[in-house]
Amino acid sequence: MPDFRPPQHLPFELAEYQQRLKNTKEAMGRSGVEALLITDPGNMNYLTGYDGWSFYVHQGVLILIDQEEPIWFGRAQDSNGAVLTTWLDKENIYGYRDNYVQSKLSHPMEFAADILNERGYAKRRLAVEMDSYYFTGRCLDMLRRSLPHATIIDGDDIVRWVRCIKSAKELDYLRMAARITEQVMQKAIDGIGIGVREGDVAGEVYKAQICGTADFTGDYPAIAPIMPSGIRTSTAHLSWTDRRYEHGDIVLLELGGAKHHYNMPLARTVMIGEPPKELQDVAEVAIDGLNRVLEFIRPGVTAEEVEAKWRESISGSRVVKESRVGYAFGLNYPPDWGEHTISLRPGDKTVLKPNMTIHFMPGIWLDTFGFECTEPIVLTEQGCETFIDFPRKLFIK
Amino acid sequence: MPDFRPPQHLPFELAEYQQRLKNTKEAMGRSGVEALLITDPGNMNYLTGYDGWSFYVHQGVLILIDQEEPIWFGRAQDSNGAVLTTWLDKENIYGYRDNYVQSKLSHPMEFAADILNERGYAKRRLAVEMDSYYFTGRCLDMLRRSLPHATIIDGDDIVRWVRCIKSAKELDYLRMAARITEQVMQKAIDGIGIGVREGDVAGEVYKAQICGTADFTGDYPAIAPIMPSGIRTSTAHLSWTDRRYEHGDIVLLELGGAKHHYNMPLARTVMIGEPPKELQDVAEVAIDGLNRVLEFIRPGVTAEEVEAKWRESISGSRVVKESRVGYAFGLNYPPDWGEHTISLRPGDKTVLKPNMTIHFMPGIWLDTFGFECTEPIVLTEQGCETFIDFPRKLFIK
């Protein structure tokens, strides 16, 4: 490890990270959690600043209730990355040797257990992010085996709910991401046309995501461009192919921009040629419903009330929508920009509060085509503010 | 779901998928596995063709030893994606309702358990991909709870080892990806220069990855462009920033191209200005070691013997390299293009065979800078063939 402390270029002031840590420890205290193992890369970044594409090997951050700083652990060749991108002292950065990598003989969670042992936490109440992407079944079993006297419980909800209300600086980054997203969407719509390869439009989308604006570049968004055409718009998560666009194609565009890994999603729909009556009808109903929901949404209402408002708006129409119509979003790494907290659907009784960020996403996927027109918003004191300035309509090429 | 069967545009003939399935069932048989739950998106694609960015919710493929076809399950809004991108009959495509999505009340693995129950496999020997990215600790616990009479064992090694030897058609796609990677690397090297924003070069890299060639476009590689500069080259997995390149910068470029999700990785190093003696020395030793290993590697030698050859080649120099020097690669989705089978390191006694694909990757990360020059190869009958035609040298700008 370098024997000097390089200048820090963290996206937030130290005080903000420390406030996040304090909020996390308070949440741990309320749940009787003494040690928290964080493996979600977004949560790791949120608390420490750590930023590397190293989540393809096991790594994590440990929050110990009585200790001032978090502990980062990961592969030795990434520990300089932790020195360079986090605010942690080097004594709290632990790199494991390469024999722990993708091996049947030793597992990084044994290394994590050794740290807990060394710090006196081997017999205490340990929460893990049970359903986070990079915390595997084997991770859980290895921890149980290595810490037989610890009580291991689910900590999925600890950091993600702390993150739910955004700070002023977080909103700044989300607004920077929004400027990128607007350019990305415009680039995609401009590029689509008869005879153009889908992949060539996708390439321009990627370039716009990363080159960003004259003032700042972008980061990789947490979801790849979703941009199916034709029959492939009947489902939610397909991308481009080598196919060339044809007259009569519908194209769904679900695209993001990101700054400091704060993601800004947006979806719009393009029709090449005259739209069929059925698509026009769906678009009209969906956009009208979207507008009504944006007027309705405000602090004090619950997530399920927002969904009910949407359902009321489309009732009597032919639009059927059985999946949730939105979710909390923000800081994240692949594969998802959603925060896995608020879902706009029946049964979600979360009371909305100022500075929560929600992607209102009433995607419609019918038997042979789909339609998407969405808005990412932030709750204000009185209602909501949209992040994005982009027409709400079916685009015709 | 559409009530018609759209034309299939799968990247492989049905017979190839069926051969893969047969090989998988034989491997299951050898391990006494009666049902295999696959959650690795690369493995899902390998056996069924399934291709969507839906791995951010739980999904999987079930292989039942006595049943002809695999079963796909996932979110209902993605099941049309399975109809469109797999060779499976609709009766083997199961979509779950949205109340299973990111919920504390119901979990997709309960849905998977219901399918196993319905098919008569609830009390049999079930293997799961215990350490695959999207199989979480909660997935494992929910399966154990929902299938109390099943024997649940680790199946991580079943499909990934079947994939290890590539078919002619897979090699075709890897060669297509190699053409993209060459263009991507050239674009990056061309773009780097004093005063240029790192993110602008990254944007051009992304565009080149996706726009591909005049004959075909590319898919999103499984790893984002790794391209740190300056002090950030002292670690393995950092990317670009808003910084502008300066005289005296070292830039690492670890970049990929992909076709049909077959990834082709490559790393090179760029120096802006006159390289320091220490960097020149490291480059010379590393490239010489690389060349010697490529002459040595052939069927019949073991993975650890290749690493030993590398270590012998650099002995006496100042180059220190403690991590593995290569790994199997191929079909994959984020976050990794490695296949988690062969690692070139001490203790890996895998005997190399023709048509195995390995990224020889002797990345060197020292205290204040790094150097990377790598080659992805395929084992031939007599030795190895490099996929990429790109100079092995330190690039000076």
Side-chain angles (χ1 to χ4, degrees), chain B residues 19 75 93 103 125 129 151 236 266 322 327 329 338 345 369 375 379:
Chain B
Q19 183 62 50
R75 196 175 178 184
I93 293 172
S103 162
R125 276 174 68 87
E129 296 183 317
T151 303
L266 186 72
E322 290 186 346
Y327 51 82
F329 74 95
R345 64 181 163 191
F369 72 94
E375 286 294 342
L379 274 285

Tab-separated table of all heavy atoms in Angstrom, chain B residues 19 75 93 103 125 129 151 236 266 322 327 329 338 345 369 375 379:
chain	number	residue	atom	x	y	z
B	19	GLN	N	-27.255	-30.100	-26.985
B	19	GLN	CA	-26.002	-30.752	-26.599
B	19	GLN	C	-25.510	-30.213	-25.249
B	19	GLN	O	-25.053	-30.968	-24.386
B	19	GLN	CB	-24.937	-30.515	-27.679
B	19	GLN	CG	-23.602	-31.209	-27.406
B	19	GLN	CD	-23.754	-32.734	-27.361
B	19	GLN	OE1	-24.332	-33.331	-28.255
B	19	GLN	NE2	-23.238	-33.340	-26.300
B	75	ARG	N	-39.898	-12.763	-13.423
B	75	ARG	CA	-40.998	-11.817	-13.233
B	75	ARG	C	-41.940	-11.888	-14.438
B	75	ARG	O	-41.479	-12.020	-15.583
B	75	ARG	CB	-40.378	-10.432	-13.136
B	75	ARG	CG	-41.262	-9.357	-12.582
B	75	ARG	CD	-40.416	-8.119	-12.451
B	75	ARG	NE	-41.164	-6.978	-11.954
B	75	ARG	CZ	-40.638	-5.759	-11.834
B	75	ARG	NH1	-39.375	-5.543	-12.186
B	75	ARG	NH2	-41.368	-4.758	-11.373
B	93	ILE	N	-42.327	-21.835	-19.307
B	93	ILE	CA	-41.998	-20.453	-18.936
B	93	ILE	C	-42.993	-19.997	-17.871
B	93	ILE	O	-44.196	-19.954	-18.117
B	93	ILE	CB	-42.028	-19.537	-20.179
B	93	ILE	CG1	-40.881	-19.950	-21.120
B	93	ILE	CG2	-41.927	-18.065	-19.779
B	93	ILE	CD1	-40.900	-19.268	-22.461
B	103	SER	N	-39.863	-7.870	-1.977
B	103	SER	CA	-40.897	-7.833	-0.948
B	103	SER	C	-40.437	-8.628	0.267
B	103	SER	O	-39.691	-9.588	0.146
B	103	SER	CB	-42.180	-8.447	-1.516
B	103	SER	OG	-43.054	-8.811	-0.475
B	125	ARG	N	-32.788	-34.432	-4.759
B	125	ARG	CA	-31.489	-33.767	-4.554
B	125	ARG	C	-31.388	-32.565	-5.482
B	125	ARG	O	-31.269	-32.709	-6.705
B	125	ARG	CB	-30.336	-34.744	-4.855
B	125	ARG	CG	-29.992	-35.624	-3.661
B	125	ARG	CD	-28.958	-36.675	-4.040
B	125	ARG	NE	-27.641	-36.082	-4.331
B	125	ARG	CZ	-26.731	-35.840	-3.415
B	125	ARG	NH1	-26.966	-36.094	-2.146
B	125	ARG	NH2	-25.551	-35.338	-3.762
B	129	GLU	N	-26.618	-22.831	-7.388
B	129	GLU	CA	-25.325	-22.169	-7.650
B	129	GLU	C	-24.997	-21.288	-6.453
B	129	GLU	O	-25.273	-20.086	-6.431
B	129	GLU	CB	-25.391	-21.415	-8.974
B	129	GLU	CG	-25.593	-22.406	-10.125
B	129	GLU	CD	-25.592	-21.761	-11.486
B	129	GLU	OE1	-26.216	-20.686	-11.645
B	129	GLU	OE2	-24.962	-22.330	-12.405
B	151	THR	N	-32.819	-32.290	-0.489
B	151	THR	CA	-31.414	-32.208	-0.098
B	151	THR	C	-30.792	-31.135	-0.979
B	151	THR	O	-30.767	-31.279	-2.207
B	151	THR	CB	-30.720	-33.561	-0.347
B	151	THR	OG1	-31.431	-34.564	0.368
B	151	THR	CG2	-29.264	-33.520	0.118
B	236	ALA	N	-6.498	-2.067	-9.082
B	236	ALA	CA	-6.928	-2.867	-10.228
B	236	ALA	C	-8.222	-2.437	-10.910
B	236	ALA	O	-8.410	-2.741	-12.079
B	236	ALA	CB	-7.049	-4.325	-9.800
B	266	LEU	N	-9.062	-7.272	-22.967
B	266	LEU	CA	-7.688	-6.931	-23.358
B	266	LEU	C	-7.214	-5.767	-22.497
B	266	LEU	O	-7.985	-4.860	-22.203
B	266	LEU	CB	-7.634	-6.513	-24.836
B	266	LEU	CG	-6.222	-6.274	-25.407
B	266	LEU	CD1	-5.479	-7.596	-25.588
B	266	LEU	CD2	-6.295	-5.542	-26.757
B	322	GLU	N	1.647	-11.077	-7.015
B	322	GLU	CA	1.162	-12.073	-6.066
B	322	GLU	C	-0.210	-12.618	-6.405
B	322	GLU	O	-0.658	-13.570	-5.794
B	322	GLU	CB	1.147	-11.488	-4.662
B	322	GLU	CG	2.557	-11.295	-4.137
B	322	GLU	CD	2.606	-10.858	-2.689
B	322	GLU	OE1	1.562	-10.455	-2.159
B	322	GLU	OE2	3.705	-10.927	-2.124
B	327	TYR	N	-7.285	-16.331	-16.192
B	327	TYR	CA	-8.539	-17.017	-15.827
B	327	TYR	C	-9.296	-17.351	-17.106
B	327	TYR	O	-9.115	-16.716	-18.149
B	327	TYR	CB	-9.376	-16.109	-14.922
B	327	TYR	CG	-9.575	-14.722	-15.495
B	327	TYR	CD1	-10.559	-14.477	-16.452
B	327	TYR	CD2	-8.734	-13.658	-15.138
B	327	TYR	CE1	-10.712	-13.223	-17.018
B	327	TYR	CE2	-8.887	-12.396	-15.701
B	327	TYR	CZ	-9.879	-12.197	-16.629
B	327	TYR	OH	-10.036	-10.958	-17.210
B	329	PHE	N	-12.432	-17.329	-19.597
B	329	PHE	CA	-13.405	-16.266	-19.884
B	329	PHE	C	-14.300	-16.691	-21.035
B	329	PHE	O	-14.012	-17.650	-21.747
B	329	PHE	CB	-12.684	-14.954	-20.235
B	329	PHE	CG	-12.068	-14.968	-21.617
B	329	PHE	CD1	-12.752	-14.436	-22.711
B	329	PHE	CD2	-10.837	-15.544	-21.825
B	329	PHE	CE1	-12.197	-14.470	-23.997
B	329	PHE	CE2	-10.275	-15.588	-23.104
B	329	PHE	CZ	-10.959	-15.054	-24.193
B	338	GLY	N	-15.090	-13.301	-16.401
B	338	GLY	CA	-14.403	-14.539	-16.010
B	338	GLY	C	-15.415	-15.646	-15.760
B	338	GLY	O	-16.563	-15.387	-15.407
B	345	ARG	N	-2.749	-20.039	-11.211
B	345	ARG	CA	-2.135	-19.752	-9.910
B	345	ARG	C	-1.713	-21.069	-9.268
B	345	ARG	O	-2.218	-22.135	-9.648
B	345	ARG	CB	-3.113	-19.009	-8.993
B	345	ARG	CG	-4.344	-19.810	-8.622
B	345	ARG	CD	-5.293	-18.988	-7.733
B	345	ARG	NE	-6.614	-19.594	-7.708
B	345	ARG	CZ	-7.701	-19.011	-7.209
B	345	ARG	NH1	-7.626	-17.809	-6.692
B	345	ARG	NH2	-8.850	-19.624	-7.220
B	369	PHE	N	2.199	3.048	-9.123
B	369	PHE	CA	1.723	2.938	-10.509
B	369	PHE	C	1.501	1.465	-10.868
B	369	PHE	O	1.908	0.565	-10.125
B	369	PHE	CB	2.702	3.576	-11.496
B	369	PHE	CG	3.973	2.780	-11.680
B	369	PHE	CD1	4.093	1.855	-12.728
B	369	PHE	CD2	5.037	2.927	-10.808
B	369	PHE	CE1	5.265	1.119	-12.895
B	369	PHE	CE2	6.210	2.181	-10.972
B	369	PHE	CZ	6.321	1.284	-12.016
B	375	GLU	N	-3.070	-10.951	-22.935
B	375	GLU	CA	-3.538	-11.591	-24.166
B	375	GLU	C	-4.623	-12.616	-23.851
B	375	GLU	O	-4.408	-13.521	-23.048
B	375	GLU	CB	-2.389	-12.317	-24.899
B	375	GLU	CG	-1.401	-11.407	-25.606
B	375	GLU	CD	-1.964	-10.615	-26.787
B	375	GLU	OE1	-3.034	-10.966	-27.328
B	375	GLU	OE2	-1.304	-9.622	-27.157
B	379	LEU	N	-6.777	-22.341	-26.477
B	379	LEU	CA	-5.871	-23.477	-26.612
B	379	LEU	C	-6.161	-24.201	-27.928
B	379	LEU	O	-7.322	-24.447	-28.261
B	379	LEU	CB	-6.068	-24.461	-25.449
B	379	LEU	CG	-5.307	-24.228	-24.138
B	379	LEU	CD1	-3.850	-24.609	-24.296
B	379	LEU	CD2	-5.482	-22.834	-23.605
